[in-house]
Amino acid sequence: MADSRKNFTLSPLGGLGEIGLNCMVLECGDSMIMIDCGIMFPEDYLFGIDIVIPRFDFVLARKDKLKGIIITHGHEDHIGALPWLLPYVDAPIYSSRFTLALIESRLREHDLDRYVDLRPVEGRQRVDFGDIAVNFFRVCHSIIEGFGLGIETPTGRIVHTGDFKIDRTPLDDTNVTDLEGFAEFSAPGVQLMLSDSTNVERDGYALTEREIKQSLSDIFAKATGRILVTLFSSHIQRMQEIIDLAETYGRKVAISGRSIQNNIDLSRNLGYLRASESIFVPMDSVSNYRDDQIVLLLTGSQGEPLSSLTRLAMSEHRQMRIKEGDLVLMSSRFIPGNTRAITKVINRLYKLGAEVLYERVSGIHASGHAHREELCQMLRTVKPKFFVPVHGEYRHLVKHSRLAVECGVAKERSLILEDGQPLRLFEDNTMRLLDRITVEHIYVDGKGVGDVGSSVLKERQLLAGEGLVIVNLVIDEKSGEIALGPEITSKGFVFEQHYAHLLEDAKCIVLDIFENIPPGEIQKLKDRIRGSLRRFFRKVLDRDPVVIPVVISL
Amino acid sequence: MADSRKNFTLSPLGGLGEIGLNCMVLECGDSMIMIDCGIMFPEDYLFGIDIVIPRFDFVLARKDKLKGIIITHGHEDHIGALPWLLPYVDAPIYSSRFTLALIESRLREHDLDRYVDLRPVEGRQRVDFGDIAVNFFRVCHSIIEGFGLGIETPTGRIVHTGDFKIDRTPLDDTNVTDLEGFAEFSAPGVQLMLSDSTNVERDGYALTEREIKQSLSDIFAKATGRILVTLFSSHIQRMQEIIDLAETYGRKVAISGRSIQNNIDLSRNLGYLRASESIFVPMDSVSNYRDDQIVLLLTGSQGEPLSSLTRLAMSEHRQMRIKEGDLVLMSSRFIPGNTRAITKVINRLYKLGAEVLYERVSGIHASGHAHREELCQMLRTVKPKFFVPVHGEYRHLVKHSRLAVECGVAKERSLILEDGQPLRLFEDNTMRLLDRITVEHIYVDGKGVGDVGSSVLKERQLLAGEGLVIVNLVIDEKSGEIALGPEITSKGFVFEQHYAHLLEDAKCIVLDIFENIPPGEIQKLKDRIRGSLRRFFRKVLDRDPVVIPVVISL
């Protein structure tokens, strides 16, 4: 029996249970919108995987209803999966002008930019999608021009905070969370709030950009040598601070690294970065200035092997060398998987005589995500009936849902959803969890999407662990004798010169097996070779390589 | 011309430039001692490597001088490499009774325990090694019975702190740093101090065990369900605190995990752990008690795949299931490379309804290494003429050497040595850096020591990245025609069923190459197959597998 009550359905495809992969779908009547379309970077054990994207089948199955794709802001975990969705759907993309410029440049790399309909929106703008309308509210985040959303449905109102923090002492009036806008939108009552859970484990308030800029300013004031700065290349506001400080302290700015150069060009063209042409100097002419007249903006905040800072640390940069007196400011977070790569770079910089400041030892970076007090402030502004934490691993969701209860949400209405668990809300403020839909982490390896599954990854892990041994054997079908071999080739197993005797012993084992297997039983021969050689290598070396017998009968 | 002044020489073989691998050699006249003999755990990119040990050639070349091996405490990065040294040298090992018990059990695994001479020492004991004498002073660390060393040489005195912290409010009088002992030893003047640099980036003082125990006690007092505790299995003092709290709050203790059980047995036998037999219950009978009558001590503080906590989180433990109301205390540090594995376990525990407390959200772990104020206190106690920071990555050494200058060491005498850089000090307080000696990270993979070098690792990395493709081709030597093949086998490359067409295309490429190479030029044929297939796979899939052509001419 169909339920005739008005309702809407929220279907999370990613981001509820992991940091990254943000993607959800909202359906109401004949309208459907998608909110964000992000990637996740693979964990270390996913050998060879470049990125992870959500499974889009749910969207594709009802793509005719898709009225628009709403992107809250321009980070990869919100825009990165668009190139894998857009060839299959036909819907306009709504976001800020800056975010759309980032999307356009990403789509250009995939030759998709000419086919998409990008529609810029402003803060406080309202866009109608039939049964759904979306209001855009500015939020402060670690990238400019982010939005939170106020969504109107016939059933009730929804607030989606996007990724946000609340800067109590903003440096300018553009990078501010529009709490007033959220409050006005929420005044008639909000049925459901979705909010950023990233930093729910952190007490108090995030450092503000004003505090960061003050720390940076103190450092600039005292510095007597060159200053080298790495940061997230999308953090335009931080770049502005660096450029302003360079101006104040009479330094020129040189840039090394494609992603930073691209984003500076893009934001200057669009008017998001205020900088006179004369402040910039090319890398090649840095040596024409005194050390205290130079700031360098560099890629490499995560110790990426090919980045400018890593090349400098390895003394492999084409245009420059680190020297005694250089001051390196790593004005960004260390992403956990990258810690070892980053600390290796830091150690090498010290060895070359540089001084290095980073988050752990100085206040030169702030998270872009609200801490607990800020999350409370947002909850108390919106006062939702239902609450669903988003953008977090499971433990973050649990803790954020508890925080919502502390802030006044009824316990039974502070829900934890996971990817693939749709929620339907009705006009009478009842709810229902619908049947789970299929969600998945789809692995992208080069041009292959989803073709590298667990069996292929398992093989890569085995190969990585102990390498492989190939055994070649040609058998003369007529005589049943060995025509050639056994020959043994290995990769990533042992240094063959050292272990010639061992590989000779392995050949004897193969010959022995051959003698004891009736002619023609190739499969049995292969199985026995594989089994016996693995046992042999385990015994003598305590290693377990992949053994591939290639037996040819001619 | 030989220098006739009295002198001693310090040669660091490991630990100066990395965390782990602690090992140094001290020579004076006819005597030589080794201080610590530790391993390092391999970084992620060292596929298949089990552990890393120092290169011992320097010791072996003068092993007749070796009068003793001094072990400061029982952590792996101080004792773990002994099994790879002891078969080749004949010298007694000096350490505390507890540390020697750990060493003995480790040597037993390698069948070496019967051949070594283990000599227990007490705090304040002095041992004579000819031209060198060593005084042992108790230090407080995250393992019991650690020592710092006061070393007498004809040239002057040396203080080696070992790994230490200074607990201002000790829980008992055994786990205390013997500052008085260090002060008395230092009174006549100390020529050289070597000190633990691990936490030089952390201000103030480390949390004390008293503070930890108080946090734990508060948690025990409130807990109404089962309490599950993970910790470093060598942290006997922390285990004692847990067992004492269990006693206080009327709970029984059950143990799951071999390393914890072993260390509890060992320390109870030696009298280091006070616990009545009646406090322990077997895992199988946990269900006979009320939830608030149970504490579990579990392995798995680092999210190790086969540990008890991980099995519980995956609902794969043989004897127990996690349930709503369970409280998990992870009373240990997250080692950076393990963060993702640990957080995965935490998320799963939350999903099963448990609550999880860990260092980030509550004060239930303390570092065993001195923070800056404690380092200063030690420096001011010892007042050395020369200072060499040890036990740290390069940046830690730099910062610790600066700290020493702040604490009164002359700038030109606060030195940074790296592994392989020997330092000679003379009786007149002059110094000389000797020629570098060969040091190396030796990789242990199974039973192979040092045989897996960079070329084999490089092959493993390539195999891990994109897998491999084997091309088989048998050529009839007489006719010059193909007798069999080409056959293509892949591992870790693509899911073959999906890519049958691609592998067919690859075969055509191989046939094409074969047609265009003069008969008999096998090597050229192989090179061309490898090159062309790599280009082909890069073009169609953007992947670059290892291609192994097996061409047989019969």
Side-chain angles (χ1 to χ4, degrees):
Chain A
M1 197 183 70
D3 194 323
S4 67
R5 290 173 296 168
K6 282 189 212 160
N7 65 69
F8 66 81
T9 306
L10 178 82
S11 304
L13 303 186
L16 280 69
E18 65 253 308
I19 302 271
L21 212 72
N22 297 288
C23 187
M24 58 169 59
V25 169
L26 184 67
E27 290 168 277
C28 184
D30 294 327
S31 298
M32 178 171 94
I33 59 171
M34 175 186 259
I35 301 171
D36 289 331
C37 187
I39 61 157
M40 192 163 77
F41 290 101
E43 299 195 45
D44 293 338
Y45 70 90
L46 296 175
F47 292 131
I49 302 302
D50 303 315
I51 59 167
V52 180
I53 61 173
R55 178 165 168 157
F56 292 122
D57 299 30
F58 179 80
V59 183
L60 302 185
R62 59 209 75 203
K63 63 180 179 177
D64 296 339
K65 284 176 71 180
L66 187 64
K67 299 283 188 280
I69 300 169
I70 319 290
I71 303 293
T72 57
H73 64 280
H75 280 150
E76 285 297 324
D77 58 334
H78 294 257
I79 70 170
L82 282 169
W84 286 270
L85 173 69
L86 293 180
Y88 310 106
V89 301
D90 184 23
I93 301 175
Y94 295 82
S95 195
S96 63
R97 214 157 49 96
F98 176 74
T99 306
L100 292 178
L102 291 178
I103 291 171
E104 195 172 15
S105 102
R106 176 54 40 94
L107 294 178
R108 199 173 300 126
E109 293 166 13
H110 290 260
D111 253 335
L112 290 168
D113 52 314
R114 279 158 302 163
Y115 310 109
V116 293
D117 179 3
L118 303 176
R119 304 197 184 170
V121 290
E122 303 278 338
R124 301 263 179 137
Q125 192 173 326
R126 181 176 183 280
V127 181
D128 210 303
F129 297 100
D131 289 319
I132 302 172
V134 176
N135 300 270
F136 292 82
F137 300 106
R138 281 189 177 281
V139 291
C140 172
H141 186 42
S142 45
I143 188 169
I144 57 171
E145 297 233 304
F147 287 128
L149 309 174
I151 305 170
E152 302 167 39
T153 77
T155 314
R157 295 185 160 216
I158 306 172
V159 164
H160 185 311
T161 64
D163 293 8
F164 81 105
K165 66 195 277 193
I166 296 172
D167 193 331
R168 293 149 298 152
T169 56
L171 282 167
D172 55 47
D173 51 4
T174 52
N175 293 299
V176 183
T177 294
D178 183 6
L179 279 176
E180 216 173 274
F182 282 108
E184 280 172 26
F185 177 82
S186 305
V190 165
Q191 193 178 23
L192 171 64
M193 173 171 168
L194 308 158
S195 181
D196 175 2
S197 311
T198 315
N199 275 341
V200 68
E201 294 185 331
R202 299 200 192 178
D203 288 327
Y205 296 86
L207 274 184
T208 66
E209 281 301 318
R210 187 175 295 273
E211 290 165 318
I212 304 298
K213 190 171 177 188
Q214 189 54 53
S215 298
L216 290 171
S217 179
D218 295 346
I219 292 166
F220 270 68
K222 285 185 210 141
T224 56
R226 300 186 297 191
I227 299 176
L228 296 79
V229 183
T230 58
L231 33 62
F232 290 121
S233 64
S234 62
H235 205 321
I236 308 302
Q237 196 184 1
R238 190 71 50 78
M239 289 189 200
Q240 182 73 62
E241 293 161 28
I242 301 289
I243 291 168
D244 290 348
L245 288 169
E247 193 98 54
T248 307
Y249 291 98
R251 290 175 182 257
K252 297 289 182 189
V253 177
I255 296 160
S256 177
R258 199 172 60 92
S259 63
I260 289 196
Q261 185 68 62
N262 287 353
N263 281 354
I264 285 188
D265 293 346
L266 184 146
S267 14
R268 288 184 74 202
N269 288 341
L270 293 174
Y272 291 111
L273 196 67
R274 301 172 309 279
S276 66
E277 193 53 47
S278 64
I279 192 93
F280 296 105
V281 296
M283 280 295 286
D284 289 328
S285 61
V286 163
S287 54
N288 301 339
Y289 294 84
R290 288 201 320 267
D291 290 346
D292 65 354
Q293 292 176 326
I294 287 294
V295 176
L296 294 126
L297 273 177
L298 308 167
T299 49
S301 69
Q302 300 303 313
E304 302 91 331
L306 301 179
S307 66
S308 297
L309 187 66
T310 304
R311 283 181 198 273
L312 281 167
M314 308 295 287
S315 301
E316 287 170 1
H317 196 281
R318 206 169 43 80
Q319 295 154 309
M320 216 182 98
R321 287 283 170 276
I322 293 290
K323 60 181 183 182
E324 185 90 31
D326 282 345
L327 175 62
V328 179
L329 309 179
M330 303 192 78
S331 185
S332 57
R333 190 171 83 95
F334 292 1
I335 295 173
N338 304 332
T339 309
R340 288 188 171 184
I342 299 170
T343 53
K344 191 168 285 180
V345 167
I346 294 174
N347 286 319
R348 291 196 68 98
L349 290 168
Y350 269 104
K351 216 169 279 187
L352 295 171
E355 177 67 43
V356 189
L357 300 180
Y358 40 98
E359 190 177 14
R360 175 147 177 200
V361 293
S362 58
I364 57 173
H365 180 63
S367 170
H369 300 273
H371 287 203
R372 284 178 79 86
E373 285 304 319
E374 297 162 83
L375 294 174
C376 285
Q377 196 176 344
M378 189 57 101
L379 275 157
R380 295 201 168 103
T381 302
V382 175
K383 299 187 194 69
K385 290 200 178 59
F386 287 89
F387 180 76
V388 172
V390 300
H391 206 286
E393 298 177 17
Y394 196 85
R395 69 182 190 284
H396 301 123
L397 306 182
V398 170
K399 290 176 182 182
H400 201 181
S401 85
R402 290 181 191 158
L403 185 67
V405 174
E406 287 175 32
C407 293
V409 176
K411 197 167 176 194
E412 66 279 11
R413 287 179 173 170
S414 187
L415 309 170
I416 295 171
L417 295 189
E418 286 184 87
D419 296 344
Q421 176 57 68
L423 168 72
R424 180 164 293 170
L425 282 186
F426 297 92
E427 55 186 328
D428 58 1
N429 286 324
T430 58
M431 56 147 277
R432 208 168 77 214
L433 295 178
L434 304 191
D435 290 344
R436 286 186 63 85
I437 59 175
T438 308
V439 289
E440 200 184 340
H441 288 185
I442 303 280
Y443 302 142
V444 178
D445 174 4
K447 290 181 185 162
V449 180
D451 64 312
V452 173
S454 57
S455 66
V456 172
L457 280 170
K458 182 79 198 159
E459 287 176 352
R460 289 183 185 174
Q461 286 157 17
L462 289 173
L463 290 168
E466 309 284 353
L468 91 150
V469 173
I470 303 173
V471 181
N472 251 284
L473 193 62
V474 183
I475 301 168
D476 184 303
E477 205 159 1
K478 279 185 231 124
S479 67
E481 295 298 308
I482 291 177
L484 191 139
E487 280 178 1
I488 294 190
T489 318
S490 79
K491 287 272 172 194
F493 172 50
V494 292
F495 188 55
E496 295 191 2
Q497 277 95 317
H498 275 202
Y499 281 101
H501 61 289
L502 189 92
L503 299 177
E504 284 306 314
D505 290 352
K507 282 183 196 174
C508 293
I509 292 173
V510 174
L511 287 173
D512 217 47
I513 295 168
F514 177 76
E515 300 294 329
N516 289 294
I517 301 260
E521 301 208 17
I522 301 290
Q523 191 53 49
K524 191 166 178 188
L525 180 62
K526 284 170 146 185
D527 292 346
R528 288 282 295 279
I529 291 174
R530 189 184 297 112
S532 299
L533 288 192
R534 285 184 60 186
R535 268 194 304 281
F536 172 66
F537 294 131
R538 271 203 298 264
K539 191 173 145 221
V540 296
L541 277 178
D542 210 0
R543 287 183 205 169
D544 195 5
V546 174
V547 175
I548 306 178
V550 179
V551 178
I552 295 166
S553 189
L554 271 178
Chain B
M1 198 182 70
D3 194 325
S4 65
R5 290 174 296 170
K6 282 187 212 160
N7 65 68
F8 67 79
T9 307
L10 178 82
S11 305
L13 303 185
L16 279 69
E18 65 255 308
I19 302 269
L21 213 71
N22 298 289
C23 188
M24 58 169 60
V25 169
L26 184 67
E27 289 168 276
C28 184
D30 294 327
S31 300
M32 178 169 95
I33 59 171
M34 175 185 258
I35 302 171
D36 289 331
C37 187
I39 61 157
M40 193 162 75
F41 291 102
E43 299 196 46
D44 293 339
Y45 70 90
L46 296 176
F47 292 132
I49 301 303
D50 303 315
I51 58 167
V52 181
I53 61 174
R55 177 164 169 159
F56 292 123
D57 298 30
F58 179 80
V59 183
L60 301 186
R62 60 207 75 202
K63 64 181 179 177
D64 295 339
K65 283 175 71 179
L66 186 64
K67 299 283 189 283
I69 300 168
I70 319 290
I71 303 293
T72 56
H73 64 280
H75 280 149
E76 285 296 325
D77 57 336
H78 294 257
I79 70 170
L82 282 170
W84 285 271
L85 173 69
L86 293 179
Y88 310 107
V89 300
D90 183 24
I93 301 175
Y94 294 83
S95 194
S96 63
R97 213 156 50 96
F98 177 73
T99 306
L100 292 178
L102 291 178
I103 291 172
E104 193 172 16
S105 103
R106 176 54 40 92
L107 294 179
R108 200 173 299 127
E109 293 167 14
H110 290 261
D111 253 334
L112 290 169
D113 53 313
R114 281 159 300 162
Y115 311 109
V116 292
D117 178 3
L118 302 177
R119 304 199 184 169
V121 289
E122 302 280 337
R124 300 261 180 141
Q125 192 173 329
R126 181 176 183 280
V127 181
D128 210 302
F129 297 100
D131 291 318
I132 302 172
V134 177
N135 299 270
F136 292 82
F137 298 106
R138 281 191 177 281
V139 291
C140 172
H141 185 43
S142 45
I143 188 168
I144 56 170
E145 295 233 305
F147 286 128
L149 310 174
I151 305 171
E152 301 166 40
T153 78
T155 315
R157 295 187 159 214
I158 305 173
V159 165
H160 185 310
T161 64
D163 292 8
F164 80 104
K165 66 193 278 193
I166 297 172
D167 194 330
R168 294 148 297 152
T169 56
L171 281 168
D172 54 47
D173 50 4
T174 52
N175 293 298
V176 184
T177 294
D178 183 5
L179 279 176
E180 217 173 274
F182 281 109
E184 281 171 25
F185 177 81
S186 305
V190 165
Q191 192 177 24
L192 170 65
M193 172 171 168
L194 309 158
S195 181
D196 175 2
S197 310
T198 315
N199 275 341
V200 68
E201 294 185 331
R202 298 201 192 177
D203 288 328
Y205 295 86
L207 274 183
T208 66
E209 280 303 317
R210 187 175 294 273
E211 290 165 317
I212 304 298
K213 189 171 178 189
Q214 189 54 53
S215 298
L216 290 170
S217 179
D218 294 347
I219 293 166
F220 270 68
K222 284 186 212 139
T224 56
R226 300 187 296 192
I227 300 177
L228 296 80
V229 182
T230 59
L231 32 62
F232 289 122
S233 64
S234 62
H235 205 322
I236 308 302
Q237 195 184 4
R238 190 71 50 78
M239 288 188 200
Q240 182 73 62
E241 293 161 28
I242 300 291
I243 290 169
D244 290 348
L245 287 170
E247 193 99 52
T248 306
Y249 291 97
R251 289 174 182 258
K252 297 288 183 190
V253 177
I255 296 160
S256 176
R258 198 173 59 93
S259 63
I260 289 196
Q261 185 69 62
N262 286 352
N263 282 352
I264 284 188
D265 293 346
L266 186 146
S267 17
R268 287 184 72 202
N269 288 341
L270 294 175
Y272 292 110
L273 196 68
R274 301 173 306 280
S276 66
E277 193 54 47
S278 65
I279 192 91
F280 296 105
V281 296
M283 280 295 286
D284 288 328
S285 61
V286 162
S287 56
N288 300 341
Y289 294 85
R290 288 200 321 266
D291 290 346
D292 64 354
Q293 293 177 326
I294 287 293
V295 176
L296 294 126
L297 273 177
L298 308 168
T299 50
S301 68
Q302 301 303 314
E304 303 91 329
L306 301 178
S307 66
S308 297
L309 187 66
T310 304
R311 284 179 198 272
L312 281 167
M314 308 296 286
S315 301
E316 287 170 0
H317 195 281
R318 204 169 45 81
Q319 295 154 309
M320 216 182 98
R321 288 281 171 276
I322 292 290
K323 60 181 183 183
E324 186 90 32
D326 283 344
L327 175 61
V328 179
L329 309 180
M330 303 191 78
S331 185
S332 58
R333 190 171 84 95
F334 292 2
I335 294 173
N338 304 332
T339 309
R340 287 187 172 186
I342 299 169
T343 54
K344 191 168 285 178
V345 167
I346 294 174
N347 286 319
R348 292 196 70 98
L349 290 168
Y350 269 104
K351 217 169 279 184
L352 296 170
E355 177 68 41
V356 189
L357 300 181
Y358 39 99
E359 190 177 13
R360 176 149 177 199
V361 293
S362 57
I364 58 172
H365 181 63
S367 171
H369 299 273
H371 286 203
R372 286 178 77 86
E373 285 302 321
E374 296 162 84
L375 294 174
C376 285
Q377 197 176 341
M378 189 57 101
L379 275 159
R380 295 202 167 104
T381 301
V382 176
K383 299 188 194 69
K385 290 201 179 58
F386 286 88
F387 180 76
V388 172
V390 300
H391 207 286
E393 298 178 17
Y394 196 85
R395 69 181 191 285
H396 300 123
L397 306 182
V398 170
K399 290 176 182 181
H400 201 182
S401 83
R402 288 181 194 160
L403 186 67
V405 174
E406 286 176 32
C407 293
V409 176
K411 198 168 176 194
E412 66 280 10
R413 287 179 173 170
S414 186
L415 309 170
I416 294 171
L417 295 189
E418 285 184 87
D419 295 345
Q421 177 57 68
L423 168 72
R424 180 164 292 169
L425 282 187
F426 297 92
E427 54 186 330
D428 57 1
N429 286 324
T430 57
M431 56 148 277
R432 206 167 80 216
L433 295 178
L434 305 190
D435 288 346
R436 286 187 63 85
I437 59 177
T438 308
V439 289
E440 200 183 339
H441 288 184
I442 303 281
Y443 302 142
V444 178
D445 174 4
K447 291 182 184 162
V449 179
D451 64 314
V452 172
S454 56
S455 65
V456 172
L457 280 170
K458 182 76 199 162
E459 286 175 354
R460 288 184 186 173
Q461 286 158 17
L462 289 173
L463 290 167
E466 308 286 353
L468 91 151
V469 173
I470 301 172
V471 182
N472 251 283
L473 192 62
V474 182
I475 301 168
D476 184 304
E477 206 159 2
K478 279 185 227 122
S479 67
E481 295 299 308
I482 291 177
L484 191 138
E487 280 179 1
I488 294 189
T489 317
S490 78
K491 287 272 172 195
F493 172 49
V494 293
F495 189 53
E496 295 191 2
Q497 277 95 317
H498 274 202
Y499 281 100
H501 60 290
L502 189 92
L503 299 177
E504 285 305 314
D505 290 351
K507 283 184 195 173
C508 293
I509 291 173
V510 174
L511 288 173
D512 218 47
I513 294 167
F514 177 77
E515 300 293 328
N516 289 293
I517 300 260
E521 301 207 16
I522 301 290
Q523 191 52 48
K524 192 167 178 186
L525 180 62
K526 284 171 146 185
D527 291 346
R528 288 282 296 278
I529 290 174
R530 190 183 297 112
S532 298
L533 287 192
R534 286 184 60 186
R535 270 194 303 281
F536 172 67
F537 293 131
R538 270 204 297 265
K539 190 170 146 226
V540 295
L541 276 179
D542 210 1
R543 287 183 205 169
D544 195 6
V546 175
V547 175
I548 306 179
V550 179
V551 178
I552 295 166
S553 190
L554 273 180

